């Protein structure tokens, strides 16, 4: 009769612990790879169809005259050019004295002096040498002296990005001197993966232009 040792049947606690850790590690690795693959797929399939037009004056506006559109586009062009020169004073001059300015970080500036001072610091710091890229989604005029322009935009250092990561809203007013200036600016960072997930869970949330 052969007697089997209990030690031969039951693995030592240390050995069992190593087995459990290896299994957990393998499971974590598989889940990580799967999640990374899923994230990459979501990111790659989240392109927008409505990317806008390159020239502001190419927009077909809702309301307003050709001269109104040219005036509004001229203001945005001067603003963009001032950023490209890192000229904070010229940049601020395209805004009304009591303008509001909200960045994609949620930072909120009140008044031309406030946003000009901030950009003077930014242009001499980590935004030094950067430029702005825009594509234009729409322009709407209200009452002859108010316009809302929606764009996609981004800042860049060297080559202009092929995809613009932010959606921006400009509210412009024609002031008493006849010049259009920006009264409010709001910048939103697009979250492509979260947007894609939202559309997958409920397709009814997708904008008409993206269907």
């Amino acid at each position: 009769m052969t007697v089997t040792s209990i030690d031969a049947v039951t693995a030592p606690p240390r050995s069992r612990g190593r087995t459990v850790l290896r299994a957990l590690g393998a499971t974590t690795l598989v889940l990580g790879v799967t999640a990374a693959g899923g994230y990459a797929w979501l990111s790659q399939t989240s392109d927008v169809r409505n990317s806008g037009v390159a020239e502001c004056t190419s927009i077909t506006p809702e309301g307003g005259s050709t001269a109104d559109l040219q005036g509004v586009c001229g203001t945005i062009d001067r603003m963009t050019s001032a950023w490209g020169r890192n000229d904070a004073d010229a940049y601020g001059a395209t805004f009304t004295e009591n303008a509001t300015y909200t960045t994609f970080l949620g930072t909120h500036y009140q008044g031309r002096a406030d946003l000009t001072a901030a950009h003077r610091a930014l242009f001499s710091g980590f935004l030094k040498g950067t430029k702005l890229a825009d594509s234009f989604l729409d322009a709407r005029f209200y009452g002859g002296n108010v316009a809302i322009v929606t764009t996609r935009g981004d800042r860049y250092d060297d080559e202009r990005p092929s995809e613009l990561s932010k959606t921006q809203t400009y509210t412009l007013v024609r002031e008493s001197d006849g010049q259009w200036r920006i009264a409010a600016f709001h910048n939103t960072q697009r979250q492509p993966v979260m947007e894609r997930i939202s559309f997958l869970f409920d397709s009814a949330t997708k904008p008409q232009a993206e269907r």
Side-chain angles (χ1 to χ4, degrees), residues 60-169:
T60 300
E62 182 179 321
S65 65
T66 299
D68 290 336
L69 180 62
Q70 289 174 343
V72 164
C73 292
T75 296
I76 294 176
D77 183 63
R78 288 193 299 276
M79 180 208 68
T80 301
S81 296
W83 182 297
R85 300 191 307 273
N86 289 175
D87 186 339
D89 291 318
Y91 185 78
T94 62
F95 292 82
T96 63
E97 187 176 353
N98 63 347
T100 58
Y101 190 106
T102 306
T103 73
F104 71 93
L105 296 175
T107 306
H108 184 69
Y109 298 101
Q110 292 183 288
R112 178 190 291 155
D114 193 21
L115 69 91
T116 299
H119 281 83
R120 185 174 292 112
L122 290 168
F123 290 154
S124 63
F126 72 90
L127 292 184
K128 185 175 182 178
T130 61
K131 299 178 181 180
L132 291 182
D134 285 297
S135 64
F136 296 85
L137 296 173
D138 62 51
R140 290 161 288 148
F141 289 84
Y142 300 91
N145 293 317
V146 177
I148 296 176
V149 178
T150 309
T151 70
R152 297 197 189 280
D154 223 329
R155 69 171 186 265
Y156 64 100
D157 295 299
D158 299 316
E159 294 185 8
R160 187 184 192 279
S162 57
E163 295 184 9
L164 305 180
S165 68
K166 302 178 182 70
T167 304
Q168 303 165 328
T169 302

Side-chain angles (χ1 to χ4, degrees), residues 21 24 204:
L21 287 175
L24 288 173

